[in-house]
Amino acid sequence: MIETEDYRVYYQAETATVVMEGFLRLDGIEAYQPVMDLLLAAAMEEACTVDLHQLEFLNSSGISMLSMFVVKVRDRGTTRLSFRGSEGILWQTRSLKNLKRLMPELHIEMLAAPNSSA
């Protein structure tokens, strides 16, 4: 688990899911290496889900890190990769579909925003 006052990243082994929550704005791609290491370790499983639906902010370095992660998993070709996002978080609605361009077989699930039924 990686945890600060602003964000938390952890792996749920029972569901093979990496959960990222909070506001993640690290300085530069190098600062994301611990997160990348956690993601790559989780992606050693046959299937892996990255749950972002409670990650309210991710800066451009973080989005680049996710892109690099998707490319590495795609090139390895042994893991079914899924992302779970929120329709209520703008950066996710824009960025997650771009990840699918890198890995067409990527599964993306967008959860409804909490107030979308009101």
Side-chain angles (χ1 to χ4, degrees):
M1 176 185 290
I2 303 168
E3 185 171 19
T4 71
E5 289 182 11
D6 296 329
Y7 67 89
R8 187 163 74 141
V9 181
Y10 58 98
Y11 179 64
Q12 294 177 323
E14 62 276 4
T15 58
T17 300
V18 175
V19 179
M20 301 171 73
E21 302 171 340
F23 296 84
L24 194 45
R25 51 183 145 226
L26 303 177
D27 292 329
I29 194 79
E30 300 83 17
Y32 279 95
Q33 192 59 50
V35 176
M36 175 67 97
D37 292 344
L38 195 153
L39 288 167
L40 289 172
M44 296 303 289
E45 300 292 331
E46 183 178 314
C48 176
T49 299
V50 180
D51 186 344
L52 304 172
H53 87 276
Q54 294 185 66
L55 186 64
E56 296 183 41
F57 181 83
L58 184 66
N59 65 5
S60 60
S61 295
I63 292 171
S64 294
M65 180 272 305
L66 285 181
S67 297
M68 292 169 53
F69 167 68
V70 168
V71 168
K72 287 183 181 196
V73 171
R74 178 198 66 197
D75 291 348
R76 199 166 51 207
T78 58
T79 303
R80 285 178 288 125
L81 186 60
S82 300
F83 276 81
R84 183 176 302 128
S86 171
E87 292 178 351
I89 300 176
L90 185 61
W91 77 264
Q92 293 182 13
T93 60
R94 292 182 177 174
S95 299
L96 293 183
K97 65 183 174 189
N98 289 332
L99 296 178
K100 196 163 180 71
R101 292 182 186 157
L102 299 172
M103 184 179 184
E105 62 272 25
L106 178 69
H107 179 260
I108 297 176
E109 174 189 12
M110 297 301 286
L111 302 178
N115 296 327
S116 65
S117 62

